[in-house]
Amino acid sequence: WINSPDKVMSWMERYDLDALLDEEGGLVKIPNFFPPFVADGLLSLCEGISDKDWTMTAASRDHSTNNISHKFWSTKSAEGLSEVTRVFSCLMPGMLNTAFSAAKYSHTHHIEPHDDRAYASVRLDDGSVVECSRRIAVIYYLTRDWDEGLGGALIDCEGRKRYVPEYNSAVAFRIPRYHEV
């Protein structure tokens, strides 16, 4: 399925992400994001990532370097993630930043309020350089049977809502938008 452009595009066409974000005030939770067998396959892929492929991503709060306090495991290069990146880019072809990474949070892991802006210099055809930032972020959950008491909720600081990880659901939001885990 994941390697069939026709199947992927057919499935993703059901989501008009811009319209959903407009309707929901800039943040939307989408349950049953993929067909169940695809979610199960993605979970197997992530569970199969070896310990050596996970990198601890951590920093202390330091306003002089614009760092926020955060700590979690992440990977961008594990086998199979490039296919996942391609599938998510089909959600809004040409519009979503394909800087996809997988993350896992363990006990005490967190990320302080932040707005997900990430700037990159882009050279245009005329040779000029402009600073660009992504417009939309998407978080996809593969956590089964999660309980809010375990932590890990996405906290939307602007909408003052909590989103508990739910298996095979996605949360998308416009950037900038302050949130934390």
Side-chain angles (χ1 to χ4, degrees):
W1 188 91
I2 202 167
N3 289 313
S4 169
D6 290 340
K7 290 178 181 175
V8 170
M9 290 303 294
S10 176
W11 183 267
M12 292 305 222
E13 285 172 355
R14 70 186 59 220
Y15 303 119
D16 181 345
L17 195 52
D18 264 329
L20 289 169
L21 289 165
D22 287 344
E23 291 168 15
E24 298 296 327
L27 185 149
V28 63
K29 182 176 181 180
I30 306 169
N32 304 310
F33 190 72
F34 286 125
F37 73 93
V38 173
D40 293 344
L42 293 174
L43 177 59
S44 292
L45 178 120
C46 289
E47 289 175 335
I49 296 173
S50 72
D51 288 345
K52 69 176 180 52
D53 288 329
W54 290 103
T55 301
M56 177 55 64
T57 303
S60 298
R61 185 183 312 128
D62 181 351
H63 295 290
S64 68
T65 59
N66 202 27
N67 272 341
I68 56 167
S69 175
H70 63 279
K71 183 177 181 180
F72 56 90
W73 294 102
S74 68
T75 184
K76 293 182 178 186
S77 59
E79 188 175 337
L81 286 184
S82 62
E83 289 84 357
V84 178
T85 297
R86 189 181 66 249
V87 169
F88 276 94
S89 71
C90 294
L91 188 57
M92 290 184 75
M95 298 299 294
L96 280 183
N97 179 329
T98 55
F100 178 83
S101 65
K104 65 179 179 176
Y105 288 72
S106 300
H107 183 66
T108 74
H109 287 184
H110 66 285
I111 186 165
E112 284 187 328
H114 62 288
D115 65 11
D116 265 16
R117 280 186 277 200
Y119 294 100
S121 297
V122 176
R123 183 174 305 281
L124 302 178
D125 290 341
D126 67 3
S128 63
V129 176
V130 295
E131 289 291 309
C132 296
S133 179
R134 54 190 173 190
R135 290 184 26 219
I136 296 171
V138 178
I139 302 168
Y140 177 63
Y141 292 104
L142 286 169
T143 309
R144 288 192 188 272
D145 306 318
W146 197 255
D147 177 88
E148 188 170 7
L150 297 170
L154 171 70
I155 301 168
D156 175 21
C157 300
E158 295 182 25
R160 303 194 190 285
K161 288 181 74 175
R162 299 173 69 84
Y163 296 86
V164 176
E166 179 184 324
Y167 186 72
N168 192 25
S169 69
V171 174
F173 52 92
R174 295 197 191 282
I175 297 169
R177 188 176 189 104
Y178 278 91
H179 61 285
E180 66 182 302
V181 176

